[in-house]
Amino acid sequence: MNNNIVGMEANMEQLLDKIISVQSRSDGVNTSLFEKREHIEKLHRTRNLLRKVQFIYDLPTRLGKCIRSEAYADAVRFYIGAMPIFKAYGDSSFQDCKRASEEAVGIITKNLQGKVFSDSESIQARAEAVMLLKQLNFPVENLKVKLFEKLEQFLVDLHLESKEIAHVSATLDGPNNHGNVTDPASSAAHESSIHEFAEAIRAYRVIFPDSEQQLVRLAQDLVNMHFEAVHRHIKKQLQSEDLLEMLRVIWSDVLLMDEVLPEAAISDFSLVAARNAVKEYVASTFSHLLLGITGTIMKVQDRQKVGVEEEYPLQSVLEASKKAVIQGCMNVLLDFRQLLDEKLELSLKLRDLTIDWVQEGFQEFFRKLNERFLFLSGKSNSGSQDLSLTQGVQGEKVLPGLVLLLAQLSLFIEQSAIPRITEEIASSFSSGGARGYEYGPAFIPAVICRTFRAAGEKCLDHYVRLRTQKISVLLRKRFTTPNWVKHKEPREVHMFVDLLLQEFEAIRGEVKQILPPELSRKHHRTDSNGSTTSSRSNPLRDDRMNRSNTQRARSQLLETHLAKLFKQKVEIFTKIEFTQESVVTTILKLCLKSLQEFVRLQTFNRRGFQQIQLDIEFLRTTLKDTSEDEAATDFLLDEVVVAAAERCLDPVPLDQPILDKLIQVKVAKTSEQNLNP
């Protein structure tokens, strides 16, 4: 056509004629086949309807085959496909088919529920089962609640098993087991169970995507239950290696939960719980240390109750108490050091806080120990004391020996224990710490030293007071019982002197066990403050006693004061030192002063005055090696005689030969009793 268009018109006309011919014949064919085509389409529609009817009739059989082959997805698809027909004709034409199909679907629903609750099924299979149940219009929310309850029960069972895992210490299991004794079988069982629990949570989350908050709470419950077990074991007394073993198990579980529920931030949640647990552990450790030291000290009273015979009971208890303080504190520091050296991520995050808790714990521990000392010595009430510490001692009489022991132990803590503990804290627990600089250090040894110095002095003063009060009761009975105006001639030293000397001997026995001796005696007769001339050799008093009774009665008071004027001032009461001599001398001085006061309250006849003179002279002989301040002791003994002379109606002393003879008889008798007890 491009090269030559000649003849094109004729060709086009010829082509048009042929097309018209084809169209005409096609219309003829269509006209002839129209009726047959409509019949075929009608037959096709009938065939499709028959197929559907056959499907409905075959549905129960098909569902049964699906149940046997566990093809539950096909069964649900078949049943859902038949639902429109069942809705339209289920109550008439297909009533039997509908009933049989519903029975089969009931079995399918039950089996699908079993798949959901089966731990052996895969997560995908369980999730598919839930989706199929939803297509069957099954109330899945009820299923969700039941499945979550199963998870909670699984957590309870896991918690019971974790208690066995936590039971890793000999201090909890038995006295002959120590250190890391975790049962490998139990540990493996716990690890398997926690992985199973994590997979159950993972499956639940896939099956029920909107359950995140519930699962977060469940994971937090797992952490809480773990730490509840930790708190229970801490109360029973736990070692640091056992606590760390428990924390390792917990942290392993926490990391697994973080993988399953990363948005729950279980690691941060567990960090808060671990912080509380470690803080409680530190406080509990100090509490048990306080109980141990108290129990050691209380052995003094326990031995007296059961009547244990021991040569030096106070000394042995003192040494045991010193060891309990030093060794106990060192063991505690070693225990805490293991917490700091642990490389567990959880421990590293708590390291600075642990340092602060240890320092604060020692400060609080020594404060409570000081309160405990004062309570045991009877210097404070039990209002601020822990009931666990006061059981067994309330209402009991305070033993003077215990008070003296507490005094020396306080001095030991100040001079030996605190410096050593301070050195250890400085080397291991000073770096780091979360405490702000504005609050200053948590552990202040200077304050503790001052506290125990004051406590030691209080206990020492209280010991002197207790011993003096007991002797004062003896003196009161001695001077209030007889009628001194009608006293008979003295035949021997009165028995109260023996009782008094027994008390002094008991005091010396206690002091010797607890306190150290002085390096050098400070108060001899030749270097004491005051004159070495005693009242018995004072010429003024000797002259006064040789006068007539009438002259003595008139000039007695004047001459007594004149005698005192000729004496230099003697220092009677000085500060009590932590030495044997100082304590014994102080008690002796106080008792002699009390003796003088009791004498001043009585009125004596000549024989009564002579009895006092005899008793005092015997005391002078026996006490000369007891007191470190002989001058003051002689002075006080002289004062007793002077006071008796002042209160005597006829103060005529015994002749010196008679006095010496009576004293010698008493000395011989005492020596014989000592040889033949």
Side-chain angles (χ1 to χ4, degrees), residues 371 404 454 464 597:
E371 291 181 352
L404 184 62
V464 171
E597 296 303 322

Side-chain angles (χ1 to χ4, degrees), residues 48-311:
N48 288 339
L49 180 60
L50 289 174
R51 284 182 175 178
K52 291 181 180 180
V53 171
Q54 186 64 41
F55 175 81
I56 295 300
Y57 279 113
D58 293 342
L59 182 60
T61 304
R62 287 174 180 268
L63 294 178
K65 291 181 179 180
C66 291
I67 291 172
R68 288 190 294 273
S69 63
E70 296 186 358
Y72 299 115
D74 292 338
V76 172
R77 179 167 53 83
F78 294 155
Y79 183 74
I80 291 176
M83 285 298 295
I85 296 176
F86 283 148
K87 287 182 179 179
Y89 307 105
D91 295 332
S92 57
S93 304
F94 303 106
Q95 185 175 4
D96 294 338
C97 292
K98 179 182 179 182
R99 183 174 61 254
S101 298
E102 287 177 347
E103 291 176 357
V105 169
I107 297 174
I108 292 171
T109 301
K110 183 178 179 180
N111 292 347
L112 288 175
Q113 292 183 63
K115 276 182 142 325
V116 172
F117 287 103
S118 175
D119 296 331
S120 61
E121 295 290 339
S122 66
I123 297 176
Q124 292 76 11
R126 296 165 73 181
E128 182 183 357
V130 172
M131 297 303 298
L132 293 175
L133 288 172
K134 285 183 178 180
Q135 294 177 22
L136 293 175
N137 295 324
F138 184 83
V140 181
E141 285 301 319
N142 294 338
L143 191 65
K144 180 179 179 181
V145 171
K146 292 181 179 179
L147 192 58
F148 190 79
E149 290 176 352
K150 183 179 179 182
L151 281 176
E152 291 179 324
Q153 184 59 44
F154 190 98
L155 180 60
V156 171
D157 297 338
L158 179 67
H159 169 57
L160 294 175
E161 188 174 351
S162 69
K163 288 196 298 185
E164 298 299 325
I165 297 298
H167 223 78
V168 297
S169 174
T171 55
L172 303 178
D173 290 337
N176 299 321
N177 239 341
H178 297 282
N180 295 319
V181 291
T182 308
D183 184 3
S186 299
S187 181
H190 174 79
E191 185 176 353
S192 174
S193 298
I194 195 65
H195 276 84
E196 185 179 354
F197 179 69
E199 289 302 317
I201 289 181
R202 192 194 307 274
Y204 191 89
R205 186 179 182 185
V206 173
I207 297 170
F208 305 106
D210 58 342
S211 60
E212 178 181 325
Q213 293 300 322
Q214 286 179 302
L215 295 178
V216 169
R217 181 174 60 83
L218 199 63
Q220 291 177 348
D221 289 343
L222 170 65
V223 175
N224 288 334
M225 288 180 176
H226 264 310
F227 280 101
E228 285 176 4
V230 173
H231 289 304
R232 285 195 299 272
H233 293 308
I234 286 175
K235 291 179 180 178
K236 298 176 184 178
Q237 191 171 6
L238 195 67
Q239 298 297 325
S240 60
E241 59 264 27
D242 302 324
L243 175 64
L244 289 172
E245 182 64 28
M246 297 176 72
L247 292 179
R248 292 188 195 102
V249 174
I250 293 173
W251 190 245
S252 175
D253 295 352
V254 166
L255 293 179
L256 188 59
M257 289 296 104
D258 274 343
E259 293 179 7
V260 177
L261 293 170
E263 65 279 359
I266 298 300
S267 57
D268 295 336
F269 180 82
S270 64
L271 182 62
V272 176
R275 173 179 175 174
N276 295 333
V278 175
K279 186 175 183 180
E280 182 187 357
Y281 169 73
V282 173
S284 176
T285 302
F286 281 116
S287 178
H288 286 295
L289 176 60
L290 182 61
L291 281 173
I293 295 173
T294 303
T296 303
I297 295 172
M298 291 306 297
K299 289 180 180 178
V300 174
Q301 288 187 329
D302 295 339
R303 291 179 181 182
Q304 188 187 56
K305 286 180 182 178
V306 298
V308 176
E309 294 293 336
E310 191 173 352
E311 186 177 2

Side-chain angles (χ1 to χ4, degrees), residues 363-493:
Q363 193 77 18
E364 181 66 12
F365 163 73
F366 282 113
R367 185 190 67 80
K368 289 183 177 180
L369 186 62
N370 172 64
E371 291 181 352
R372 184 63 178 157
F373 281 8
L374 295 179
F375 171 73
L376 292 177
S377 66
K379 294 295 293 180
S380 67
N381 55 36
S382 60
S384 61
Q385 295 290 323
D386 188 350
L387 290 178
S388 63
L389 296 176
T390 59
Q391 290 178 352
V393 297
Q394 292 179 342
E396 292 187 359
K397 186 177 180 181
V398 177
L399 295 177
L402 175 61
V403 177
L404 184 62
L405 184 148
L406 293 172
Q408 183 63 16
L409 188 57
S410 298
L411 188 67
F412 170 79
I413 292 174
E414 178 213 357
Q415 296 179 349
S416 301
I418 298 301
R420 184 172 175 185
I421 293 170
T422 303
E423 181 180 353
E424 184 64 26
I425 289 178
S427 63
S428 303
F429 296 88
S430 58
S431 60
R435 186 183 180 92
Y437 288 103
E438 64 274 13
Y439 298 106
F443 180 67
I444 310 175
V447 173
I448 300 175
C449 287
R450 288 196 298 269
T451 299
F452 277 92
R453 164 60 69 169
E457 292 176 351
K458 286 182 180 179
C459 289
L460 194 61
D461 290 340
H462 190 48
Y463 173 75
V464 171
R465 187 177 302 109
L466 288 175
R467 280 304 188 183
T468 305
Q469 288 174 351
K470 185 176 181 180
I471 295 177
S472 294
V473 172
L474 177 63
L475 295 176
R476 181 180 295 108
K477 291 181 179 179
R478 165 58 180 150
F479 284 96
T480 57
T481 302
N483 186 349
W484 290 98
V485 179
K486 298 180 179 180
H487 201 281
K488 296 180 181 180
E489 181 179 358
R491 299 292 183 182
E492 61 179 355
V493 177

Side-chain angles (χ1 to χ4, degrees), residues 557-580:
L557 187 60
L558 175 61
E559 292 175 0
T560 300
H561 288 289
L562 287 175
K564 292 180 180 179
L565 288 175
F566 279 94
K567 283 189 175 185
Q568 297 180 15
K569 183 179 180 182
V570 177
E571 188 178 6
I572 302 299
F573 300 109
T574 58
K575 182 180 179 181
I576 309 175
E577 302 293 338
F578 285 83
T579 62
Q580 300 175 13

